[in-house]
Amino acid sequence: MHVQVILCQRRPATAPAITTVTAATPPEPQMPAPTAKPAESAEPAQPSGSAEPSESARPTDPAPPPAPSADVRMWHRFLALHAHVEHRLSTALQRHHGLGLSEYRALGFLAAAPRSELRMQELADRLGLNQSSVTRLVGRLNAAGFTYRDVCPDDKRGVYTVIEDAGRTRHAAATATYEATLTAALEEAAENDSGAGATVAALRSSLG
């Protein structure tokens, strides 16, 4: 007996289709386009040689100051005469007598004062010095033995400077040098400057 075997061929199952989902890629940021660098201005061409600046480029000269008045000119001339004479006197007194000009004059004011003494402020006023300067000056005179310090018996705050005999002697010896040097300095100034000579003549005539 024949057995017929029928072989059934199975079809392979169709695999389900796989849908591939592609994620959207964000767009890359766009870089700003480089801006063009402005062209550098060219250096101004240097002129060859040493060209003279034009008249319009030259600075104008400042206007001259107004001319001084007659009084100003007179005063300046007097100050120049005063400086010349004071320098000559100071040099002569220091060289021959060891005295400064203010020290010599302080001794003179004290020698001529009543009772040969002056308050410190009075002495400062006559010398044209401030209180500090006259204090130092009197300190030098005291150290040299030409003056001494005294206190007013009625007012303990009142300080006097009193001249000593040694101060009188030194002042008297220096007076001849002072007067001779003064006359020579005035004559010298008058010879070198006619204006100074006129000033000296006017001052001398005013004293009679």
Side-chain angles (χ1 to χ4, degrees), residues 74-115:
M74 176 274 296
W75 187 246
H76 287 175
R77 180 164 289 169
F78 179 80
L79 290 177
L81 174 63
H82 177 268
H84 168 74
V85 173
E86 292 285 275
H87 175 71
R88 290 287 303 275
L89 290 172
S90 178
T91 301
L93 290 173
Q94 190 64 52
R95 178 181 301 168
H96 299 292
H97 305 281
L99 286 176
L101 190 54
S102 294
E103 294 167 355
Y104 169 81
R105 288 173 176 159
L107 292 176
F109 290 138
L110 291 169
R115 298 191 299 178

Coordinates of all heavy atoms in Angstrom, one line a residue, residues 74-115:
M74 N 60.1 156.0 39.1 CA 60.8 156.7 40.2 C 61.1 155.7 41.3 O 62.2 155.7 41.9 CB 60.1 157.9 40.6 CG 60.7 158.7 41.8 SD 60.2 158.0 43.5 CE 58.4 158.3 43.4
W75 N 60.0 155.0 41.7 CA 60.2 154.1 42.8 C 61.2 152.9 42.5 O 61.9 152.6 43.4 CB 58.8 153.5 43.2 CG 58.8 152.7 44.5 CD1 58.6 151.4 44.6 CD2 59.1 153.2 45.8 NE1 58.7 151.0 45.9 CE2 59.0 152.1 46.7 CE3 59.4 154.5 46.3 CZ2 59.2 152.3 48.1 CZ3 59.6 154.6 47.7 CH2 59.5 153.5 48.5
H76 N 61.1 152.4 41.4 CA 62.0 151.3 41.0 C 63.5 151.9 41.0 O 64.4 151.1 41.5 CB 61.7 150.8 39.6 CG 60.5 149.9 39.6 ND1 59.9 149.5 38.4 CD2 59.7 149.5 40.6 CE1 58.9 148.7 38.7 NE2 58.7 148.8 40.0
R77 N 63.7 153.1 40.6 CA 65.0 153.6 40.6 C 65.5 153.8 42.1 O 66.6 153.6 42.4 CB 65.0 155.0 39.9 CG 66.4 155.7 39.8 CD 66.4 156.7 38.8 NE 66.4 156.2 37.4 CZ 66.2 156.9 36.3 NH1 66.0 158.1 36.4 NH2 66.3 156.3 35.1
F78 N 64.5 154.3 42.9 CA 64.9 154.5 44.3 C 65.2 153.1 45.0 O 66.2 153.0 45.8 CB 63.7 155.1 45.0 CG 64.0 155.3 46.5 CD1 64.7 156.4 47.0 CD2 63.4 154.5 47.5 CE1 65.0 156.6 48.3 CE2 63.7 154.7 48.8 CZ 64.5 155.7 49.2
L79 N 64.5 152.1 44.7 CA 64.7 150.8 45.2 C 66.1 150.2 44.8 O 66.8 149.6 45.6 CB 63.6 149.8 44.8 CG 62.3 150.0 45.5 CD1 61.3 149.0 44.9 CD2 62.3 149.9 47.0
A80 N 66.5 150.5 43.5 CA 67.8 150.1 43.1 C 68.9 150.8 43.8 O 69.9 150.2 44.2 CB 67.9 150.3 41.6
L81 N 68.7 152.1 44.0 CA 69.6 152.9 44.8 C 69.7 152.4 46.2 O 70.9 152.2 46.8 CB 69.2 154.4 44.8 CG 70.1 155.3 45.6 CD1 71.5 155.4 45.2 CD2 69.4 156.7 45.6
H82 N 68.6 152.1 46.8 CA 68.6 151.6 48.2 C 69.3 150.3 48.3 O 70.1 150.0 49.3 CB 67.1 151.4 48.7 CG 67.0 150.9 50.0 ND1 66.8 149.5 50.2 CD2 66.9 151.4 51.3 CE1 66.7 149.3 51.5 NE2 66.7 150.4 52.2
A83 N 69.1 149.3 47.4 CA 69.7 148.0 47.4 C 71.3 148.2 47.3 O 72.0 147.5 48.0 CB 69.2 147.1 46.3
H84 N 71.7 149.1 46.4 CA 73.1 149.3 46.2 C 73.8 149.8 47.5 O 74.8 149.3 48.0 CB 73.3 150.3 45.1 CG 74.7 150.8 45.0 ND1 75.8 150.0 44.5 CD2 75.3 152.0 45.3 CE1 76.9 150.7 44.5 NE2 76.6 151.9 45.0
V85 N 73.2 150.8 48.1 CA 73.7 151.4 49.3 C 73.7 150.4 50.5 O 74.7 150.3 51.2 CB 73.0 152.7 49.7 CG1 73.5 153.3 51.0 CG2 73.2 153.8 48.6
E86 N 72.6 149.7 50.7 CA 72.5 148.8 51.8 C 73.6 147.7 51.7 O 74.2 147.2 52.7 CB 71.1 148.2 51.9 CG 70.0 149.1 52.2 CD 70.0 149.5 53.7 OE1 69.4 148.7 54.5 OE2 70.6 150.5 54.1
H87 N 73.8 147.2 50.5 CA 74.8 146.2 50.3 C 76.2 146.7 50.7 O 77.0 146.0 51.4 CB 74.8 145.7 48.9 CG 75.9 144.7 48.5 ND1 75.9 143.4 49.0 CD2 77.0 144.8 47.8 CE1 77.0 142.8 48.6 NE2 77.7 143.6 47.9
R88 N 76.5 147.9 50.3 CA 77.8 148.5 50.6 C 78.0 148.7 52.1 O 79.1 148.3 52.7 CB 78.0 149.8 49.9 CG 78.2 149.7 48.4 CD 79.6 149.1 48.0 NE 80.6 150.0 48.6 CZ 81.1 151.1 48.0 NH1 80.6 151.5 46.8 NH2 82.0 151.8 48.5
L89 N 76.9 149.1 52.8 CA 77.0 149.4 54.2 C 77.2 148.0 55.0 O 78.0 147.9 55.9 CB 75.7 150.1 54.7 CG 75.6 151.6 54.3 CD1 74.2 152.1 54.6 CD2 76.7 152.4 54.9
S90 N 76.4 147.1 54.6 CA 76.4 145.8 55.3 C 77.8 145.1 55.2 O 78.3 144.6 56.2 CB 75.3 144.8 54.7 OG 75.4 143.6 55.3
T91 N 78.4 145.2 54.0 CA 79.7 144.6 53.8 C 80.8 145.3 54.6 O 81.6 144.6 55.3 CB 80.1 144.7 52.3 OG1 79.1 144.0 51.5 CG2 81.4 144.0 52.1
A92 N 80.7 146.6 54.7 CA 81.7 147.4 55.4 C 81.6 147.2 56.9 O 82.6 147.0 57.6 CB 81.6 148.9 55.1
L93 N 80.4 147.2 57.4 CA 80.2 147.0 58.9 C 80.6 145.6 59.3 O 81.3 145.5 60.4 CB 78.8 147.3 59.3 CG 78.3 148.8 59.2 CD1 76.8 148.8 59.4 CD2 79.1 149.6 60.2
Q94 N 80.3 144.6 58.6 CA 80.6 143.3 58.9 C 82.1 143.0 58.8 O 82.7 142.4 59.7 CB 79.9 142.3 58.0 CG 80.0 140.8 58.5 CD 79.4 140.6 59.8 OE1 78.2 140.9 60.0 NE2 80.1 140.0 60.7
R95 N 82.8 143.6 57.8 CA 84.2 143.4 57.6 C 85.0 144.1 58.7 O 86.0 143.5 59.2 CB 84.6 143.9 56.2 CG 86.1 143.7 55.9 CD 86.3 144.2 54.5 NE 85.5 143.5 53.5 CZ 85.4 143.9 52.2 NH1 86.0 145.0 51.8 NH2 84.7 143.1 51.4
H96 N 84.7 145.3 59.0 CA 85.5 146.1 59.9 C 85.1 146.1 61.4 O 86.0 146.4 62.3 CB 85.5 147.6 59.4 CG 86.1 147.8 58.0 ND1 87.4 147.6 57.7 CD2 85.5 148.1 56.9 CE1 87.6 147.8 56.4 NE2 86.4 148.1 55.9
H97 N 83.8 145.8 61.7 CA 83.4 145.9 63.1 C 82.6 144.6 63.5 O 82.2 144.6 64.7 CB 82.5 147.1 63.2 CG 83.2 148.4 62.8 ND1 84.1 149.0 63.6 CD2 83.1 149.1 61.6 CE1 84.5 150.1 62.9 NE2 83.9 150.2 61.8
G98 N 82.4 143.7 62.7 CA 81.7 142.4 63.1 C 80.3 142.7 63.4 O 79.7 141.9 64.3
L99 N 79.7 143.7 62.8 CA 78.3 144.0 63.1 C 77.5 143.8 61.8 O 77.9 144.2 60.7 CB 78.1 145.4 63.6 CG 78.5 145.7 65.0 CD1 78.4 147.2 65.3 CD2 77.7 144.9 66.0
G100 N 76.3 143.3 62.0 CA 75.3 143.3 60.8 C 74.7 144.7 60.8 O 74.7 145.5 61.7
L101 N 74.1 145.0 59.6 CA 73.5 146.3 59.5 C 72.4 146.6 60.5 O 72.2 147.7 61.1 CB 73.0 146.5 58.0 CG 72.5 147.9 57.6 CD1 73.6 148.9 57.8 CD2 72.2 147.8 56.1
S102 N 71.5 145.6 60.7 CA 70.4 145.8 61.6 C 70.9 145.8 63.1 O 70.4 146.6 63.9 CB 69.4 144.6 61.5 OG 68.7 144.6 60.2
E103 N 72.0 145.1 63.4 CA 72.6 145.2 64.7 C 73.1 146.6 65.0 O 73.0 147.1 66.1 CB 73.7 144.1 64.8 CG 73.2 142.7 64.8 CD 74.3 141.7 64.6 OE1 75.4 142.1 64.4 OE2 74.0 140.5 64.6
Y104 N 73.8 147.2 64.0 CA 74.3 148.5 64.1 C 73.2 149.5 64.4 O 73.3 150.4 65.3 CB 75.1 148.9 62.9 CG 75.5 150.4 62.8 CD1 76.6 150.9 63.6 CD2 74.7 151.3 62.1 CE1 76.9 152.2 63.5 CE2 75.0 152.6 62.1 CZ 76.1 153.1 62.8 OH 76.4 154.4 62.8
R105 N 72.2 149.4 63.6 CA 71.1 150.3 63.8 C 70.3 150.1 65.1 O 69.9 151.1 65.7 CB 70.1 150.2 62.6 CG 70.7 150.8 61.3 CD 69.9 150.5 60.1 NE 70.4 151.1 58.9 CZ 70.2 150.8 57.7 NH1 69.4 149.8 57.4 NH2 70.8 151.4 56.7
A106 N 70.2 148.9 65.5 CA 69.6 148.6 66.8 C 70.4 149.3 68.0 O 69.8 149.9 68.9 CB 69.5 147.1 67.1
L107 N 71.7 149.2 67.9 CA 72.5 149.9 68.9 C 72.4 151.4 68.9 O 72.3 152.0 69.9 CB 74.0 149.5 68.7 CG 74.4 148.0 69.0 CD1 75.8 147.8 68.7 CD2 74.1 147.7 70.5
G108 N 72.2 151.9 67.7 CA 72.0 153.3 67.5 C 70.7 153.8 68.1 O 70.6 154.8 68.8
F109 N 69.6 153.1 67.9 CA 68.3 153.4 68.4 C 68.3 153.3 69.9 O 67.7 154.2 70.6 CB 67.2 152.5 67.9 CG 66.9 152.7 66.4 CD1 66.7 151.7 65.5 CD2 66.8 154.0 65.9 CE1 66.5 151.9 64.2 CE2 66.5 154.3 64.6 CZ 66.4 153.2 63.7
L110 N 69.0 152.3 70.5 CA 69.1 152.1 71.9 C 69.9 153.3 72.6 O 69.6 153.8 73.6 CB 69.6 150.8 72.3 CG 68.7 149.6 72.0 CD1 69.5 148.3 72.1 CD2 67.5 149.6 72.9
A111 N 71.0 153.6 71.9 CA 71.9 154.7 72.5 C 71.2 156.0 72.5 O 71.4 156.8 73.4 CB 73.2 154.8 71.6
A112 N 70.3 156.3 71.5 CA 69.6 157.5 71.5 C 68.3 157.5 72.3 O 67.7 158.6 72.5 CB 69.3 157.9 70.0
A113 N 67.8 156.4 72.8 CA 66.5 156.3 73.5 C 66.7 156.8 74.9 O 67.8 156.8 75.5 CB 66.1 154.9 73.5
P114 N 65.6 157.4 75.5 CA 65.6 157.7 76.9 C 65.9 156.5 77.8 O 65.4 155.4 77.6 CB 64.2 158.2 77.2 CG 63.6 158.6 75.8 CD 64.3 157.6 74.8
R115 N 66.8 156.8 78.7 CA 67.3 155.7 79.6 C 68.0 154.6 78.9 O 68.2 153.5 79.5 CB 66.2 155.2 80.5 CG 65.5 156.3 81.4 CD 64.6 155.7 82.4 NE 63.5 154.9 81.8 CZ 62.6 154.3 82.5 NH1 62.6 154.3 83.8 NH2 61.6 153.7 81.9

